[in-house]
Amino acid sequence: MQFTCWYEAEFEDKVQNIQKRLAQKGVILRPTVVEKIQAKFLRLHPELSLVVDQDGLSLAALGMKMQPAWQAEIGRLKRSTLKTEMIVRATQANDAPTLIDATAGLGHDSLLLAKFGAHVQLVERHPILFTLLEDAYFQAQSDAYLQPIVARIQLIYANSADYLTALSEQQQQVDVVYLDPMFPQRDQHQKPQKKQAQVKKQMQLLHILLPEENGMDLGDELLTCAHKVAKRVVVKRPRHAIFLNHEHPDHQWLGDACRFDAYFNLNL
C-alpha cells in the first residue's frame, strides 16, 4: 500500500516518525512538503491522503480532512452520566470491566467507556486508521483531563477476528466485547427513507478509506468469535437493523436512533 502525505515544513520530524511507523505495517508513505495546507489546497487535491499540519495528523479527501480528535470529546465526557449513556449501562463500564472494542472506528466509544472505568483494548487492523488513533492517543496523553482516561486504553494493531480467536485458543477471557459494525445491515422490511441527513464528515472519509465492497466485516464473524472469550457481548445497532448474525440478544437497551443488543455467556 502506498499513501500520499502532505505536510508543512515545520512538521518534518513528525512526518518522518509517522513514515517509520507505517513502514513497519507495510505502508509506503510518500511525503510531500507544501507551503500551507488550507481549504483551497485540499479542494485542489481531492484524492485520499494524509495531512500533517498544526492540527496534527489527519485523513483528507474531497476537500475535507478529519481525525479522531479525542480532545474534542472532552465536553461530552464531562457531561456524560450513567443515566444519559446507554452504552455505559449496557457494558457495565462503571464496574471497571476488562473490555475489547473490536471495531475501533475513531475510538470515541472506547474513550467514553474508559472514562467510566473500563480497561479497554482498542483493536484496529487498518494501518492508516491505526496510525490516526495512535496520534490521537499521543496527543491525549499530554492533556490533563484525558491523561488518566487514556491510561486505561491499550491500542492493539490486529485483525479483530484473529485477535479474538487467539485469545480463545489461549483460553483467555474478558468481561466484555463491544461491537459497532461500520456498515450495519438494516431490516429487510424497513421502509426506505427519503434522503438521509448527510453522513458526518468523519464517517464520509472513513467510508472512503474502508469501502464496504472491499470486504469490510459487517460483524457476523466477530460476534461468533466474541462469544468464545467474553462474559458479555454488546452490539450497537441502528434501532431497526436486523440482529447481528441473525442472533436474538438476551437483553436490549433501546434509544430513539440506536439500540444496544447484549449477549450473556454464563459458562465463562
Side-chain angles (χ1 to χ4, degrees):
M1 180 190 300
Q2 296 188 8
F3 226 83
T4 298
C5 178
W6 308 106
Y7 72 98
E8 296 173 358
E10 61 185 292
F11 303 106
E12 184 169 357
D13 290 345
K14 181 180 179 72
V15 171
Q16 290 179 353
N17 179 270
I18 293 170
Q19 189 174 27
K20 291 178 182 177
R21 282 155 42 203
L22 283 172
Q24 294 172 352
K25 299 174 178 63
V27 179
I28 299 174
L29 196 66
R30 297 176 299 188
T32 302
V33 64
V34 296
E35 183 177 349
K36 193 69 177 175
I37 298 173
Q38 300 171 324
K40 181 178 179 181
F41 176 87
L42 295 176
R43 290 196 300 271
L44 293 174
H45 299 82
E47 67 276 10
L48 191 65
S49 61
L50 290 174
V51 167
V52 180
D53 57 13
Q54 71 279 0
D55 296 326
L57 176 66
S58 303
L59 184 70
L62 305 179
M64 305 180 291
K65 70 174 185 177
M66 76 86 185
Q67 56 187 178
W70 287 2
Q71 289 172 308
E73 293 292 300
I74 291 177
R76 180 196 176 191
L77 296 175
K78 289 182 175 180
R79 293 189 303 270
S80 62
T81 66
L82 183 61
K83 182 177 179 180
T84 62
E85 299 291 349
M86 282 193 302
I87 184 176
V88 177
R89 300 196 298 276
T91 58
Q92 296 186 329
N94 56 311
D95 289 337
T98 54
L99 184 149
I100 296 175
D101 183 345
T103 49
L106 297 176
H108 295 166
D109 285 343
S110 282
L111 196 63
L112 178 64
L113 296 172
K115 181 256 186 181
F116 278 87
H119 299 273
V120 182
Q121 296 176 33
L122 185 60
V123 185
E124 176 52 51
R125 68 181 179 183
H126 194 287
I128 298 298
L129 182 51
F130 183 84
T131 303
L132 287 164
L133 288 167
E134 272 189 321
D135 198 66
Y137 183 87
F138 295 151
Q139 289 189 38
Q141 286 180 318
S142 62
D143 184 282
Y145 179 80
L146 291 177
Q147 193 280 327
I149 296 175
V150 299
R152 290 190 286 272
I153 297 177
Q154 177 186 8
L155 297 182
I156 296 174
Y157 178 60
N159 178 295
S160 291
D162 294 342
Y163 184 70
L164 293 172
T165 298
L167 290 180
S168 176
E169 292 173 348
Q170 297 164 13
Q171 297 184 329
Q172 296 187 36
Q173 301 171 1
V174 295
D175 295 316
V176 183
V177 170
Y178 173 67
L179 303 176
D180 180 10
M182 188 171 171
F183 298 98
Q185 298 158 303
R186 292 187 175 273
D187 189 331
Q188 60 182 336
H189 301 298
Q190 182 181 353
K191 294 181 180 180
Q193 299 179 1
K194 293 182 179 180
K195 187 175 181 180
Q196 297 179 352
Q198 187 180 36
V199 180
K200 289 183 179 180
K201 176 172 63 175
Q202 292 176 329
M203 293 309 299
Q204 288 185 54
L205 295 186
L206 277 185
H207 284 183
I208 296 172
L209 180 68
L210 309 169
E212 184 174 5
E213 60 269 21
N214 281 2
M216 175 56 57
D217 193 352
L218 296 173
D220 290 349
E221 180 186 5
L222 290 179
L223 180 58
T224 299
C225 296
H227 284 318
K228 299 176 182 179
V229 300
K231 300 174 184 177
R232 172 183 295 228
V233 181
V234 176
V235 183
K236 183 179 180 180
R237 307 293 281 160
R239 184 175 177 114
H240 299 292
I242 63 175
F243 295 124
L244 201 61
N245 205 29
H246 301 284
E247 293 186 30
H248 287 255
D250 298 310
H251 190 73
Q252 288 184 311
W253 287 262
L254 298 175
D256 294 334
C258 70
R259 68 176 198 263
F260 292 91
D261 298 340
Y263 304 83
F264 305 134
N265 189 344
L266 302 180
N267 296 320
L268 289 183

